[in-house]
Amino acid sequence: MRISVIGSGYVGLVTGICFAELGHDVLLFDNDPAKQRALQQGVSPIHEKYVPELLARHRGARLTFSSSLAESVDKSDAIFIAVGTPPTVNGEADLSYVESVARELAASIKDYKIVVGKSTVPVYTSEWVRRIMQLNGAPAGLFDVASNPEFLREGTAVTDFLYPDRIVIGTDTPACEERLRRIYQPLADGTYYERGDAVPPPKAISGPPPLISTTAKSAELIKYASNAFLAMKISFINAVATLCESVGADVEQVREGIGSDSRIGRQFLNPGLGYGGSCFPKDLSAYRAVARECGYDFRLLEEVMRINNEQRERFLRKVRHALWTLKGKRLGVLGLAFKGGTDDVRESPAIAVIRSLIDEGCRIQAYDPAATANAREILGDASIQYMNSALEAATGADALLVLTDWDEFRSIDLGRLHDVLHYPIVIDGRNLYDPTTMADWGFSYTSVGRADVSRGVGVQKSSVSTPGPAQRNSDADVVKVP
Ligand code: UDX
């Protein structure tokens, strides 16, 4: 199948290279010449596993690039719209890019095409795209509009695409449905998974993913409702974590107890600083706006957002509680990205927390394995130093704050960390460490939904404790406080 993908941002690029990987001829269109040039030279503009490999595999062969929308349309059977839908000041999705693409497409349609929405858009968008195209001269019988939502997570976007839980195609005519089925056939019939050169599965797979065929409107709703539900799970566990702190329970134990119910499931029940990123915050606001416009006040979503914002405030209170006054304090920070595994800092809780701390007079020394350049663009260099390793960020700091769940941070050498910190205080917004172990190493350790601990104080020994460095040096028993 010949496919055009309009927009080579995160979703567009991953979609384009994955369609090429499935054997289709893909034309990637973007109106940003710098991005086009980089891609043509095989440089991935995003930090995403397997993107460089697949770019190298398909570039110039099944994957080509175009800066002409008319050419892209002319050479394709299916056109996927993957342009940005940023939030407006009212929290609605700004669909002006989608509209201008629809207008331009209309002029170039000469034979039957399907136009497929990949961007996250409100219900009714497919209908609007159809209407705009017709108003701009596209003959009604020569095109259909569909919705094919993506469920890609940054960091695992390629394997999310190639090994999805489900594929949703929202179409309103049999011809359109048939074309989309053919596009996804290698995944839906499992033939892709038999290939020797297939991208390895992230986990054992039990079979090909189900292909769920719906109307375009249902597909549009599925996307928003999925993200809203996941965000709700995160806010739910964060609210439970707050309660755990009040009653002295351990949220990790509670999470295990809840998540073991197969009706609930363990995923997306990690408490912490709350959700961020380019999707959840934007999609929740847009979903609430859409619901309101349709006459329904979806107050549950407001509560999800409120709890999420409160998590950052609660964390800042913990920092103040641990350090008393903040002015002039030097803080080590682990993590700038909105989650581990990505260089993306959009709506990152880490950035919000750092901003507040800088406003309160702290000096920050931060380390992130991938997001430093992006964070620097937002935070600048005043009051913040960007370090080259986690231990460097901790060196001489009055406390260490953990703001992003990078795996690299989990395996930090706790003995050396204790040595390099000015005071052995760790405030963990991602629950990366075991409180018992931290207490044994002599840290004063605060996390989310679990009791604060310091050597021999407040720790609930629920499991076998890891031998710590109690005898490591004569200072170890003394938890210094600022
Ligand atoms: C999300 C959706 O998962 C994906 O299906 C959609 O297409 C795009 O939006 P992404 O934004 O890449 O993907 O990140 P995700 O892994 O979902 O995490 C979102 C945020 O929630 C992150 O800030 C993460 O740290 C936070 N999170 C996630 C938690 O706080 N707890 C959890 O248990 C899971």
Side-chain angles (χ1 to χ4, degrees):
M1 189 82 74
R2 298 172 313 159
I3 295 173
S4 271
V5 180
I6 312 299
S8 43
Y10 216 96
V11 172
L13 178 58
V14 171
T15 302
I17 58 169
C18 287
F19 279 151
E21 173 72 359
L22 296 184
H24 303 300
D25 291 319
V26 179
L27 207 56
L28 257 185
F29 167 86
D30 202 287
N31 53 13
D32 177 350
K35 204 182 269 178
Q36 281 279 347
R37 257 196 316 277
L39 286 168
Q40 258 153 1
Q41 288 160 7
V43 179
S44 169
I46 55 172
H47 175 87
E48 190 63 51
K49 204 170 170 191
Y50 296 121
V51 165
E53 290 88 339
L54 293 188
L55 205 51
R57 190 183 279 183
H58 301 297
R59 184 170 58 97
R62 284 203 208 112
L63 182 66
T64 50
F65 306 93
S66 173
S67 50
S68 156
L69 196 70
E71 183 203 5
S72 310
V73 175
D74 203 42
K75 290 187 172 165
S76 313
D77 308 302
I79 299 133
F80 284 76
I81 303 179
V83 295
T85 53
T88 65
V89 281
N90 305 329
E92 293 161 11
D94 176 356
L95 299 175
S96 55
Y97 299 114
V98 176
E99 183 180 348
S100 76
V101 168
R103 249 188 279 118
E104 280 191 60
L105 286 179
S108 311
I109 302 245
K110 299 190 185 71
D111 53 2
Y112 180 71
K113 313 277 182 201
I114 63 169
V115 176
V116 190
K118 258 287 174 206
S119 309
T120 302
V121 291
V123 69
Y124 289 128
T125 303
S126 302
E127 218 164 275
W128 270 109
V129 168
R130 188 184 350 266
R131 219 181 283 177
I132 295 291
M133 287 182 64
Q134 271 175 12
L135 282 173
N136 285 277
L142 280 195
F143 74 97
D144 277 311
V145 182
S147 166
N148 169 220
E150 50 80 22
F151 303 100
L152 312 179
R153 286 164 300 176
E154 293 190 17
T156 54
V158 169
T159 46
D160 284 345
F161 189 102
L162 296 170
Y163 296 90
D165 289 338
R166 80 298 207 188
I167 299 161
V168 175
I169 54 169
T171 61
D172 298 318
T173 69
C176 184
E177 180 183 341
E178 195 271 332
R179 205 166 267 195
L180 266 171
R181 278 186 186 276
R182 269 177 45 211
I183 289 173
Y184 282 103
Q185 194 170 343
L187 298 181
D189 67 11
T191 47
Y192 176 71
Y193 308 121
E194 289 159 12
R195 270 174 36 184
D197 64 348
V199 168
K203 55 181 188 316
I205 54 167
S206 51
L211 191 145
I212 301 168
S213 177
T214 69
T215 62
K217 275 188 195 144
S218 298
E220 286 164 347
L221 263 187
I222 286 169
K223 170 67 191 183
Y224 268 137
S226 300
N227 277 357
F229 193 87
L230 292 170
M232 183 181 74
K233 272 187 102 173
I234 298 169
S235 281
F236 184 86
I237 198 68
N238 281 331
V240 171
T242 301
L243 203 55
C244 285
E245 287 172 14
S246 308
V247 303
D250 180 332
V251 72
E252 297 301 336
Q253 295 174 0
V254 175
R255 183 171 74 97
E256 179 63 18
I258 308 173
S260 308
D261 186 325
S262 60
R263 292 169 303 175
I264 297 172
R266 284 190 171 79
Q267 292 190 55
F268 278 69
L269 281 182
N270 295 311
L273 280 174
Y275 59 78
S278 65
C279 287
F280 284 180
K282 166 174 86 87
D283 290 355
L284 272 256
S285 304
Y287 197 24
R288 187 187 50 170
V290 168
R292 207 172 266 163
E293 220 168 87
C294 300
Y296 180 63
D297 189 6
F298 208 149
R299 270 179 288 177
L300 178 62
L301 300 184
E302 239 151 79
E303 195 54 20
V304 169
M305 292 187 258
R306 190 193 61 75
I307 294 169
N308 197 55
N309 291 332
E310 212 177 69
Q311 282 308 100
R312 297 164 195 190
E313 286 308 316
R314 292 181 60 75
F315 184 80
L316 286 166
R317 283 205 291 275
K318 286 177 187 174
V319 179
R320 287 186 207 108
H321 183 74
L323 292 169
W324 191 25
T325 63
L326 292 184
K327 198 167 169 196
K329 292 272 160 69
R330 196 204 285 206
L331 300 179
V333 163
L334 298 190
L336 297 161
F338 81 94
K339 65 170 188 177
T342 176
D343 63 350
D344 198 338
V345 294
R346 284 175 290 177
E347 297 289 329
S348 170
I351 300 287
V353 165
I354 291 171
R355 274 201 173 121
S356 301
L357 292 170
I358 290 176
D359 285 349
E360 294 194 43
C362 296
R363 287 169 301 149
I364 305 289
Q365 38 193 56
Y367 168 68
D368 189 286
T372 301
N374 288 337
R376 188 180 250 131
E377 275 182 29
I378 299 176
L379 294 170
D381 287 282
S383 311
I384 177 162
Q385 266 182 291
Y386 300 94
M387 316 307 273
N388 294 316
S389 73
L391 283 172
E392 213 178 284
T395 302
D398 293 315
L400 183 74
L401 314 186
V402 183
L403 304 185
T404 307
D405 57 344
W406 280 98
D407 279 342
E408 182 183 321
F409 302 156
R410 290 180 208 276
S411 52
I412 197 168
D413 181 333
L414 293 173
R416 290 190 60 203
L417 178 64
H418 190 279
D419 286 346
V420 300
L421 277 167
H422 186 206
Y423 298 114
I425 298 172
V426 175
I427 306 157
D428 181 357
R430 296 292 178 182
N431 284 6
L432 297 195
Y433 308 110
D434 169 46
T436 306
T437 309
M438 293 303 275
D440 287 350
W441 277 100
F443 288 100
S444 160
Y445 178 66
T446 299
S447 53
V448 181
R450 303 182 295 185
D452 291 357
V453 296
S454 51
R455 176 180 297 286
V457 182
V459 60
Q460 296 174 348
K461 299 209 181 233
S462 56
S463 54
V464 183
S465 80
T466 317
Q471 289 78 37
R472 202 166 42 100
N473 64 45
S474 54
D475 270 357
D477 283 319
V478 184
V479 175
K480 296 174 276 182
V481 289

